[in-house]
Amino acid sequence: MIAILTFVIFVGLVLTVSTRTSRKAAGIGGYFVANNSVHWGVNGVAFAGGYLSVASFLGIAGLIAFHGYDGFLYSIGFLAGWIVALFVIAEPMKRMGTFTFSDALNRNFSHPGISLAAGLSVLVVSLFYLVPQMVGAGVLVEPLLGIPHYWGVIIVGTVVIIIVASGGMTSTTYVQFFNGGLLLTFALILSVLVLFRGVSTTDRPTEEGAAGLSSYRSQRVPVEMVDGTPRIADMPGATITDRHAVLDVYTGAENLVLYRISRPIPAVSVPAGGYRAQVKGRTVHVEATAVERVDGEAVLMVEDWWWLDESAAGTAALVETQSRTVTAGGRTLVNGVPAAVAGRLRQVGAVTEIPGEYGERTGPVGPLRLLSVLSDQETTVQRPQQVSFTAASGDAVSVFYEEPTAGSSFMRPGLLFPLEAQPGEPAMTVLLYRLNFISLMLALFFGTSALPHILIRYYTVPSAEAARKSTIVAIAGIGLFYILTMYLGVGALIAGAINPETSNMSAPLLARSFGEVLFAMISGIAFTTVLATVSGLIMAASGAVAHDLMGNLLRREVSDTSKVLVGRVVAVVVGLVGIVLGIGFRGMNVSFMVGWAFAVAASANLPALVLMLFWKRTTARGIIASILVGIVASVGLIMLSPDMWARYGLDPAAAPMPLNQPGIISIPLSFIVLVAVSLATGSKEKPIEVA
């Protein structure tokens, strides 16, 4: 009830802010650029509120919780891009533009082709950025309100359509300002609580708050290996029914061996009818027909998966996992029990060993001390892992387990972006890993200053000086937040507050470990973050269609009143498209998908913008060709990437594009095309002045 009430309050506050400021949206200047009247301080915080999307708040914290230091590299990349925005883009954009990104590109040309190409680019980039925001909205609403993912996406889309269609840029600005202030404040509060809690190897906060699931640790059962098969002595009545080995693709060695075990769990009758049993720490209620009698005792027979741990010399043990299974008959089982009965999986993550000087717990620690403890070679963390396969029975199985990982490995590069070849792994594979990482960093570094919803914010302030000042404020706020993401991520791991099926819920579940009220507030703030970012994206798309595309496609002058009307209609249409795509891409990490949006923006927009400003031989045809090639190359390579190949249900290893991130190819290609076409057409166009 607290969560629902808090959610309603936050959405109500956002709509109130939007309604009270929407009256200033009269006229084309009011709707598209807030009449250039926003104070630079407000604009700077609004920059932060619009830029710190769910990719930052949910995605990066989740990547750090799952992959340690490598997840933090996203924070570094997202922040570094603002250096380009400050020193290269901010003041020229304000001096050269009026309403949209294409205004700046077209200032010295008045070429309809530039408006068409730039407008198309804004639409494509906005949609790529819109999808992960919508995915994040659904992820938030599921545990917060207890409703399906798609309803969260629909709610966000509906609220944002109201904000943008009614209030335009003015409403969008103050919604982003409101969100930026809340986000920074509560991220700081949550980080301080993580430091005050410190690190413990024994205490794990009650999982999932008021859901009734008590703290639970995975069982570890010693076994004797006989002819390569475990003999279970400490699990009466249990039998092994299946075996699955995950093979190394290069050496053929068995990297992970899993056993499906059928075992009896005591069941107790309840007065209301049926029975209850404890399955992996969760109380489940089943009908009497699901219970069997063994030696006169009522038991619930459960089939679940365990992994074989032979890491300690001379010993072996089966370690409990969690699983989600879709049987050949179409039934869904969670931990061997029907999903309708078992509900969701338990949270995972823990620190099981810390340096001996601390004993079992550190107590409150400082920011540097916490990182020092976690990166110590004596520290061991339980890192979430997942493996999916088809069992011998034909069942589709996803097994979730925790892999003991040295803190010194967790807190240094290599887990998400491998730096060294594994035994038998070709050197070319490691080269591809490195190229993929470089490609991602190029996209993040160059993409920030080319994102349409960031560029249009420069038109809301009255002067070039105000644009520069607002960028400095944005860098300060965004920089602080990205430092805090490290503590949100590792805090979720320490607290055992990780949903094994999605990394996107790590920050809210960390908040839940401190109490239901804080969870509701953090989730509500994360939801307003989605609203703030999505409203900016839809605003950019609205301006692109109404201001850049419509007049050129109709080949006649369009009145300001008509542009505003079309802008409102486009806001509705783009919002609906975002809802559909957000439902379709459920399950992908939001930070990873945002990396694609940055790559498209850096490929399509930045080369044209930079060379238009600083190379006097740039031509209109060169700009048009660069934008179109940047769009086609980046989007095309993404569609052919291993991750999308897996999305199609195909073998990722067979993907035509070996990299998931296209920037290392598409960004230089866009620059080369602009230079080549400009040189080829320079004699046919009047040279432009260097800005």
Side-chain angles (χ1 to χ4, degrees), residues 195 199 357-358 362-375 487:
L195 295 174
V199 184
E357 62 190 273
Y358 296 105
T362 64
V365 292
L368 297 180
R369 175 62 65 181
L370 177 63
L371 300 182
S372 174
V373 171
L374 289 175
S375 59
Y487 297 96

Side-chain angles (χ1 to χ4, degrees), residues 347-359:
Q347 294 170 197
V348 297
V351 177
T352 52
E353 293 182 38
I354 56 176
E357 62 190 273
Y358 296 105

